[in-house]
Every structure is written in C-alpha cells, then in structure tokens.
C-alpha cells in the first residue's frame, strides 16, 4: 500500500478522550484480574488505532506543511493531543490502585 492510498480522516480527539474515559471507568468497575486484562486489551487496541491516526496527521503535515488543511489539522493535534495523556494517567492510576495488582503482574 502506498501512502497516497491511505484514507485520511482527521482524528476526533474529543471523542477519543470520551472513549478513553469510558475505558478508565471500565477498569475501575472491573471486579477481577480477567476483567481488567480484557479492559487493558481493549485499551491497547484502541490506542493502536488512535496513534496510527495521529501519526498520519503528523505525516501529512510534514509532507506538505504549506497546505492550510494540513497545518490546521496539525494545530488541532498540538492543542488537543496532550489532553489524552490525562486519560492515560487515569488508567495507570487505576492499575496502581488495584488491590490485586500483584495478580496482574504475575500474568
């Protein structure tokens, strides 16, 4: 597949924050190690998709920084992407606060 064949869609970072917030809620609501591992698996899959979209936004900008649409998407990304870190930090906190954290480490 060539770069030009990849369909570009601007990442919706507000929707991403909402999805990550929901994943954190599911992690906090998990009642077993198995449930937590399932949530982590969902998080990893979502994060993989999201980081690919973010990388494509950056790549489009680096290829054509003078294109106003690419510049606007990059500005949007620069402004809103750091807010995603808050949700990742919330997930890490939920994992660290887990009473059976040792059970997660064993697996």
């Amino acid at each position: 597949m060539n770069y030009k064949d990849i369909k570009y869609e601007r990442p919706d970072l507000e929707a991403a924050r909402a999805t990550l917030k929901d994943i954190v809620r599911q992690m906090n609501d998990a009642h077993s190690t198995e449930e937590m591992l399932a949530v982590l698996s969902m998080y990893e899959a979502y994060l993989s998709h999201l980081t690919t979209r973010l990388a494509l936004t950056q790549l489009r900008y680096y290829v054509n920084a003078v294109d106003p649409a690419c510049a606007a998407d990059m500005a949007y990304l620069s402004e809103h992407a750091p807010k995603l870190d808050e949700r990742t930090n919330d997930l890490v906190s939920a994992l660290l606060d887990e009473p059976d954290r040792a059970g997660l480490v064993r697996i």
Side-chain angles (χ1 to χ4, degrees), residues 10-26:
R10 181 183 192 183
D12 182 346
L13 298 183
E14 288 304 315
R17 282 186 80 210
T19 298
L20 292 172
K21 183 177 182 177
D22 185 57
I23 290 171
V24 169
R25 181 196 53 75
Q26 290 179 51

Side-chain angles (χ1 to χ4, degrees), residues 14-89:
E14 288 304 315
R17 282 186 80 210
T19 298
L20 292 172
K21 183 177 182 177
D22 185 57
I23 290 171
V24 169
R25 181 196 53 75
Q26 290 179 51
M27 181 62 72
N28 287 327
D29 291 347
H31 297 292
S32 68
T33 301
E34 291 77 20
E35 288 178 8
M36 292 181 79
L37 290 172
V39 173
L40 277 175
S41 179
M42 180 178 30
Y43 168 75
E44 289 174 348
Y46 182 73
L47 194 61
S48 176
H49 172 77
L50 179 61
T51 55
T52 299
R53 292 283 151 218
L54 298 176
L56 284 172
T57 301
Q58 293 172 325
L59 183 58
R60 284 182 71 239
Y61 175 73
Y62 298 143
V63 167
N64 191 3
V66 296
D67 181 326
C70 294
D73 285 354
M74 189 64 183
Y76 170 79
L77 184 73
S78 296
E79 179 181 347
H80 295 283
K83 296 174 187 173
L84 298 176
D85 291 339
E86 297 170 17
R87 297 295 163 243
T88 299
N89 291 342

